Amino acid sequence: MPQTELLVVTGMPIDGVESVIARLRAADAGIVVVHHDLRHVADGLVRRRVRDRHTDTWTDIHLAHGCVSCTLREDLLPTLRDLSGRVRRIVLHLDPALEPEQVCWALDHVLVDDLLLTDLVDLRGVITAVDASTWLADATGDEPVAERGLAGLPDDERTVAQVAVGQAEFADLLVQTGAATTEDLLRVDAVLERLAPLAVRSGLAEVEDDALLLRRTHPLARRGRPDDVHAPLLRGTPPLNPDHGVRLLVFSARRPFHPDRLHSAFDLLLDGVVRTRGRIWVATRPDDVLWLESAGGGLRIGQTGEWLAAQDPSAWDEVSEERRALASLGWHPRFGDRAQDIVVLAHELGDEGIDTVEAGLRSALLTDAELAAGEHTWQDLPDPFGFWHEEPCENDSADEPESAGVSADRAGEEER
């Protein structure tokens, strides 16, 4: 039998995800669907569902430690391993609380009996169901996942927006489900065209079979591969012109941020903004590449490695050709590859609002006088950041490292 194909299906709308899976099953009766219900994972209980054309089996899985990583390591990955080679196609139906990037990373990095799942299955890509009538509100709010009743993890501080944006951003195929007005459809499509420009966008009626995903996917599509933090921030060629109030701001600079002024500018990246992503350079942390990422009303910033200029020359041999090329092209005689590169995707900011965001970021950079004072003076600048920092913060000091979340994942990718 040819290598088993694996499709990952995700999304916030439960009915929409089920509709997508139903279309796939109708097109291929041999599909096996695997799902882990995480609603009781905090109590150490996960319900595994495996269904094919003949059976629909639920199994209670009791975990020693109630967490998502335990679920992946102890049951989901072994289940996929056991199915690989025995069936032609698997659909991995993710719990709505899961972000597909983290799951796909596990498929390609976590060993199961000394094997990686990506050596056993052909990961074809990620399908995300989006309900245009509710998605934009989810993607721009600040509601915690616990209040939505997702997963129920006691230490899960993510917002619904972080999950909704992460699911859409990582998709190879975005399927519009549910009933929505024409205006909602147009606005959400304008956001998705800029958030996930390489993803195919379709309606539910078009998902006759997975040929749409397998044959029409962009040649540079993710297909389950997480980005490196030094990859281009604008994947593909998203439109830079405004559409239905949706705008992209690309911010770049070759001088460091003043940490305290940067912290004060964070509010500009939360109101009216769907997504902010980028690599930043803070004056008090000259060696560290910091990754900034926001979704809706939540923002995180964390350390994800070091600039090449801060490392031994041998480091050049350990990074990707793309990173070496970009560093060489933009090399600064004083600062090396250190730079600010941020992309802001806004949905409720007019031209004046975008100008305000850009001006706020520029005002957070060191002034000419501060720059001329030299690096030895920058260490005395007030710095509200710890190793990890999350907004909104409760105070102006964050000395203890923060765990979990996007920043931690990005740091892990960089180290690997």
Side-chain angles (χ1 to χ4, degrees):
M1 178 178 290
Q3 188 178 32
T4 298
E5 295 179 351
L6 176 65
L7 299 174
V8 178
V9 180
T10 185
M12 298 293 290
I14 296 175
D15 292 342
V17 172
E18 283 292 349
S19 296
V20 170
I21 292 173
R23 303 287 296 196
L24 294 173
R25 295 184 72 194
D28 183 354
I31 280 177
V32 176
V33 182
V34 177
H35 173 61
H36 285 74
D37 185 336
L38 301 179
R39 284 176 292 182
H40 304 291
V41 69
D43 300 321
L45 177 65
V46 173
R47 300 204 71 205
R48 183 218 302 145
R49 184 186 188 189
V50 180
R51 46 183 162 149
D52 57 26
R53 75 179 84 183
H54 303 298
T55 62
D56 188 349
T57 305
W58 286 87
T59 305
D60 288 347
I61 310 298
H62 296 275
L63 302 175
H65 305 285
C67 66
V68 174
S69 61
C70 291
T71 304
L72 290 171
R73 182 177 63 254
E74 297 179 17
D75 195 77
L76 190 152
L77 297 182
T79 297
L80 297 179
R81 175 205 58 196
D82 293 343
L83 288 170
S84 65
R86 296 169 44 205
V87 300
R88 188 166 67 91
R89 184 167 293 133
I90 302 171
V91 168
L92 177 55
H93 171 193
L94 296 187
D95 186 275
L98 288 178
E99 297 171 56
E101 183 171 6
Q102 297 167 349
V103 175
C104 289
W105 183 89
L107 294 173
D108 196 38
H109 289 81
V110 178
L111 291 172
V112 180
D113 294 337
D114 296 324
L115 293 172
L116 296 175
L117 260 296
T118 47
D119 292 332
L120 302 175
V121 300
D122 181 11
L123 178 55
R124 301 301 298 170
V126 175
I127 305 174
T128 299
V130 173
D131 185 343
S133 66
T134 59
W135 183 82
L136 191 55
D138 284 342
T140 56
D142 56 8
E143 179 185 11
V145 295
E147 292 185 10
R148 181 65 66 90
L150 299 176
L153 301 177
D155 58 347
D156 194 343
E157 298 179 353
R158 295 175 303 158
T159 63
V160 172
Q162 288 171 310
V163 178
V165 170
Q167 291 172 345
E169 189 175 52
F170 200 68
D172 298 293
L173 172 62
L174 288 159
V175 183
Q176 297 275 13
T177 66
T181 66
T182 300
E183 180 61 24
D184 284 341
L185 288 169
L186 291 174
R187 289 200 75 206
V188 169
D189 195 60
V191 172
L192 295 177
E193 189 176 13
R194 291 155 177 79
L195 180 68
L198 298 181
V200 175
R201 298 185 304 282
S202 75
L204 184 61
E206 299 174 64
V207 189
E208 296 296 337
D209 55 36
D210 61 2
L212 182 65
L213 176 65
L214 302 184
R215 297 172 190 162
R216 286 182 50 201
T217 303
H218 194 285
L220 299 178
R222 296 176 183 273
R223 292 193 180 272
R225 295 185 298 271
D227 274 339
D228 182 89
V229 295
H230 293 281
L233 296 178
L234 293 176
R235 292 179 58 86
T237 55
L240 300 179
N241 58 298
D243 183 15
H244 288 83
V246 180
R247 289 169 169 79
L248 272 176
L249 167 65
V250 181
F251 178 86
S252 299
R254 296 307 301 265
R255 61 175 66 194
F257 278 122
H258 185 292
D260 203 37
R261 292 201 298 268
L262 175 63
H263 184 266
S264 298
F266 280 163
D267 285 345
L268 298 173
L269 304 177
L270 302 178
D271 294 333
V273 173
V274 178
R275 186 60 139 178
T276 302
R277 301 173 69 248
R279 299 174 293 271
I280 65 173
W281 164 33
V282 175
T284 50
R285 306 274 293 276
D287 294 344
D288 297 334
V289 180
L290 301 183
W291 178 259
L292 171 70
E293 188 165 293
S294 78
L299 178 149
R300 287 175 179 169
I301 178 174
Q303 194 264 351
T304 61
E306 294 185 337
W307 301 104
L308 288 174
Q311 301 183 60
D312 186 271
S314 62
W316 285 77
D317 299 326
E318 300 172 3
V319 300
S320 67
E321 293 183 2
E322 184 178 54
R323 184 180 178 188
R324 287 199 298 270
L326 290 174
S328 298
L329 288 171
W331 195 261
H332 188 279
R334 178 179 176 186
F335 301 128
D337 59 330
R338 298 178 180 92
Q340 318 291 359
D341 289 296
I342 302 171
V343 173
V344 181
L345 173 58
H347 72 296
E348 286 186 343
L349 297 178
D351 292 339
E352 184 176 343
I354 286 289
D355 291 344
T356 298
V357 172
E358 182 171 14
L361 290 173
R362 293 214 176 275
S363 68
L365 297 169
L366 291 192
T367 65
D368 289 345
E370 290 167 335
L371 203 64
E375 287 86 339
H376 66 282
T377 66
W378 301 348
Q379 297 303 314
D380 297 327
L381 297 175
D383 187 345
F385 303 121
F387 191 70
W388 305 112
H389 188 78
E390 187 168 356
E391 288 288 319
C393 61
E394 295 181 357
N395 52 60
D396 290 334
S397 177
D399 295 330
E400 293 300 321
E402 303 235 3
S403 61
V406 176
S407 296
D409 296 332
R410 296 290 180 185
E413 290 170 22
E414 177 66 14
E415 291 168 2
R416 286 185 293 271

mmCIF file of all heavy atoms in Angstrom, residues 85-103:
data_model
loop_
_atom_site.group_PDB
_atom_site.id
_atom_site.type_symbol
_atom_site.label_atom_id
_atom_site.label_comp_id
_atom_site.label_asym_id
_atom_site.label_seq_id
_atom_site.Cartn_x
_atom_site.Cartn_y
_atom_site.Cartn_z
ATOM 1 N N GLY A 85 0.076 2.823 7.286
ATOM 2 C CA GLY A 85 0.367 1.616 6.526
ATOM 3 C C GLY A 85 -0.798 0.673 6.408
ATOM 4 O O GLY A 85 -0.790 -0.221 5.550
ATOM 5 N N ARG A 86 -1.837 0.865 7.250
ATOM 6 C CA ARG A 86 -3.011 -0.018 7.211
ATOM 7 C C ARG A 86 -4.173 0.620 6.469
ATOM 8 O O ARG A 86 -5.074 -0.086 6.007
ATOM 9 C CB ARG A 86 -3.455 -0.371 8.631
ATOM 10 C CG ARG A 86 -2.432 -1.167 9.422
ATOM 11 C CD ARG A 86 -2.826 -1.243 10.885
ATOM 12 N NE ARG A 86 -4.244 -1.543 11.043
ATOM 13 C CZ ARG A 86 -4.969 -1.222 12.118
ATOM 14 N NH1 ARG A 86 -4.389 -0.570 13.122
ATOM 15 N NH2 ARG A 86 -6.230 -1.543 12.191
ATOM 16 N N VAL A 87 -4.169 1.953 6.401
ATOM 17 C CA VAL A 87 -5.259 2.653 5.708
ATOM 18 C C VAL A 87 -4.652 3.626 4.713
ATOM 19 O O VAL A 87 -3.479 4.021 4.828
ATOM 20 C CB VAL A 87 -6.164 3.404 6.712
ATOM 21 C CG1 VAL A 87 -6.797 2.437 7.710
ATOM 22 C CG2 VAL A 87 -5.387 4.486 7.456
ATOM 23 N N ARG A 88 -5.453 4.028 3.734
ATOM 24 C CA ARG A 88 -4.934 4.901 2.689
ATOM 25 C C ARG A 88 -4.913 6.359 3.114
ATOM 26 O O ARG A 88 -4.033 7.124 2.722
ATOM 27 C CB ARG A 88 -5.781 4.751 1.424
ATOM 28 C CG ARG A 88 -5.211 5.467 0.215
ATOM 29 C CD ARG A 88 -5.898 4.996 -1.057
ATOM 30 N NE ARG A 88 -7.295 5.393 -1.081
ATOM 31 C CZ ARG A 88 -7.720 6.536 -1.616
ATOM 32 N NH1 ARG A 88 -6.852 7.390 -2.134
ATOM 33 N NH2 ARG A 88 -8.998 6.842 -1.633
ATOM 34 N N ARG A 89 -5.896 6.774 3.922
ATOM 35 C CA ARG A 89 -5.993 8.190 4.270
ATOM 36 C C ARG A 89 -6.570 8.347 5.669
ATOM 37 O O ARG A 89 -7.550 7.684 6.030
ATOM 38 C CB ARG A 89 -6.855 8.931 3.254
ATOM 39 C CG ARG A 89 -6.949 10.427 3.463
ATOM 40 C CD ARG A 89 -7.546 11.108 2.251
ATOM 41 N NE ARG A 89 -6.646 11.007 1.109
ATOM 42 C CZ ARG A 89 -7.032 10.645 -0.120
ATOM 43 N NH1 ARG A 89 -8.288 10.351 -0.351
ATOM 44 N NH2 ARG A 89 -6.156 10.583 -1.096
ATOM 45 N N ILE A 90 -5.940 9.223 6.465
ATOM 46 C CA ILE A 90 -6.406 9.551 7.811
ATOM 47 C C ILE A 90 -6.766 11.028 7.843
ATOM 48 O O ILE A 90 -6.025 11.870 7.319
ATOM 49 C CB ILE A 90 -5.323 9.276 8.877
ATOM 50 C CG1 ILE A 90 -4.881 7.810 8.852
ATOM 51 C CG2 ILE A 90 -5.818 9.654 10.266
ATOM 52 C CD1 ILE A 90 -3.659 7.535 9.723
ATOM 53 N N VAL A 91 -7.887 11.337 8.480
ATOM 54 C CA VAL A 91 -8.229 12.718 8.792
ATOM 55 C C VAL A 91 -8.059 12.899 10.291
ATOM 56 O O VAL A 91 -8.724 12.220 11.088
ATOM 57 C CB VAL A 91 -9.677 13.055 8.376
ATOM 58 C CG1 VAL A 91 -10.106 14.394 8.980
ATOM 59 C CG2 VAL A 91 -9.784 13.122 6.862
ATOM 60 N N LEU A 92 -7.150 13.783 10.689
ATOM 61 C CA LEU A 92 -6.941 14.092 12.096
ATOM 62 C C LEU A 92 -7.820 15.294 12.436
ATOM 63 O O LEU A 92 -7.540 16.420 12.043
ATOM 64 C CB LEU A 92 -5.467 14.395 12.364
ATOM 65 C CG LEU A 92 -5.107 14.813 13.795
ATOM 66 C CD1 LEU A 92 -5.587 13.780 14.810
ATOM 67 C CD2 LEU A 92 -3.608 15.038 13.924
ATOM 68 N N HIS A 93 -8.891 15.029 13.153
ATOM 69 C CA HIS A 93 -9.873 16.045 13.528
ATOM 70 C C HIS A 93 -9.454 16.641 14.867
ATOM 71 O O HIS A 93 -9.562 16.006 15.906
ATOM 72 C CB HIS A 93 -11.265 15.393 13.612
ATOM 73 C CG HIS A 93 -12.329 16.267 14.182
ATOM 74 N ND1 HIS A 93 -13.561 15.773 14.564
ATOM 75 C CD2 HIS A 93 -12.367 17.600 14.446
ATOM 76 C CE1 HIS A 93 -14.303 16.765 15.046
ATOM 77 N NE2 HIS A 93 -13.592 17.869 14.985
ATOM 78 N N LEU A 94 -8.947 17.867 14.846
ATOM 79 C CA LEU A 94 -8.418 18.479 16.060
ATOM 80 C C LEU A 94 -9.532 19.044 16.929
ATOM 81 O O LEU A 94 -10.530 19.578 16.437
ATOM 82 C CB LEU A 94 -7.439 19.605 15.718
ATOM 83 C CG LEU A 94 -6.162 19.225 14.976
ATOM 84 C CD1 LEU A 94 -5.249 20.446 14.874
ATOM 85 C CD2 LEU A 94 -5.437 18.069 15.650
ATOM 86 N N ASP A 95 -9.330 18.946 18.232
ATOM 87 C CA ASP A 95 -10.204 19.629 19.178
ATOM 88 C C ASP A 95 -10.152 21.122 18.881
ATOM 89 O O ASP A 95 -9.103 21.666 18.524
ATOM 90 C CB ASP A 95 -9.715 19.346 20.603
ATOM 91 C CG ASP A 95 -10.641 19.896 21.662
ATOM 92 O OD1 ASP A 95 -10.508 21.094 22.008
ATOM 93 O OD2 ASP A 95 -11.500 19.142 22.143
ATOM 94 N N PRO A 96 -11.285 21.847 19.037
ATOM 95 C CA PRO A 96 -11.280 23.276 18.712
ATOM 96 C C PRO A 96 -10.313 24.109 19.532
ATOM 97 O O PRO A 96 -9.983 25.239 19.152
ATOM 98 C CB PRO A 96 -12.737 23.714 18.948
ATOM 99 C CG PRO A 96 -13.357 22.628 19.750
ATOM 100 C CD PRO A 96 -12.633 21.378 19.402
ATOM 101 N N ALA A 97 -9.815 23.585 20.649
ATOM 102 C CA ALA A 97 -8.857 24.343 21.467
ATOM 103 C C ALA A 97 -7.432 24.220 20.966
ATOM 104 O O ALA A 97 -6.547 24.934 21.431
ATOM 105 C CB ALA A 97 -8.920 23.875 22.917
ATOM 106 N N LEU A 98 -7.185 23.325 20.012
ATOM 107 C CA LEU A 98 -5.819 23.083 19.555
ATOM 108 C C LEU A 98 -5.458 23.976 18.380
ATOM 109 O O LEU A 98 -6.297 24.292 17.534
ATOM 110 C CB LEU A 98 -5.644 21.621 19.148
ATOM 111 C CG LEU A 98 -5.622 20.589 20.273
ATOM 112 C CD1 LEU A 98 -5.479 19.188 19.692
ATOM 113 C CD2 LEU A 98 -4.493 20.869 21.253
ATOM 114 N N GLU A 99 -4.175 24.359 18.335
ATOM 115 C CA GLU A 99 -3.635 25.092 17.197
ATOM 116 C C GLU A 99 -2.829 24.108 16.350
ATOM 117 O O GLU A 99 -1.963 23.394 16.860
ATOM 118 C CB GLU A 99 -2.760 26.239 17.683
ATOM 119 C CG GLU A 99 -3.529 27.284 18.489
ATOM 120 C CD GLU A 99 -2.616 28.301 19.149
ATOM 121 O OE1 GLU A 99 -1.833 28.941 18.421
ATOM 122 O OE2 GLU A 99 -2.683 28.444 20.387
ATOM 123 N N PRO A 100 -3.099 24.053 15.059
ATOM 124 C CA PRO A 100 -2.493 23.006 14.218
ATOM 125 C C PRO A 100 -0.972 23.083 14.123
ATOM 126 O O PRO A 100 -0.321 22.062 13.925
ATOM 127 C CB PRO A 100 -3.149 23.243 12.850
ATOM 128 C CG PRO A 100 -3.628 24.660 12.879
ATOM 129 C CD PRO A 100 -4.007 24.917 14.304
ATOM 130 N N GLU A 101 -0.385 24.267 14.283
ATOM 131 C CA GLU A 101 1.063 24.374 14.175
ATOM 132 C C GLU A 101 1.756 23.533 15.241
ATOM 133 O O GLU A 101 2.751 22.848 14.969
ATOM 134 C CB GLU A 101 1.507 25.833 14.281
ATOM 135 C CG GLU A 101 3.009 26.012 14.100
ATOM 136 C CD GLU A 101 3.426 27.460 13.993
ATOM 137 O OE1 GLU A 101 2.571 28.339 14.181
ATOM 138 O OE2 GLU A 101 4.607 27.710 13.706
ATOM 139 N N GLN A 102 1.238 23.572 16.463
ATOM 140 C CA GLN A 102 1.852 22.804 17.545
ATOM 141 C C GLN A 102 1.719 21.308 17.298
ATOM 142 O O GLN A 102 2.650 20.537 17.550
ATOM 143 C CB GLN A 102 1.203 23.191 18.867
ATOM 144 C CG GLN A 102 1.421 24.646 19.230
ATOM 145 C CD GLN A 102 0.518 25.111 20.365
ATOM 146 O OE1 GLN A 102 -0.412 24.420 20.766
ATOM 147 N NE2 GLN A 102 0.789 26.295 20.886
ATOM 148 N N VAL A 103 0.568 20.888 16.789
ATOM 149 C CA VAL A 103 0.350 19.461 16.517
ATOM 150 C C VAL A 103 1.261 19.001 15.380
ATOM 151 O O VAL A 103 1.888 17.943 15.459
ATOM 152 C CB VAL A 103 -1.125 19.202 16.175
ATOM 153 C CG1 VAL A 103 -1.336 17.742 15.770
ATOM 154 C CG2 VAL A 103 -2.015 19.544 17.366
#
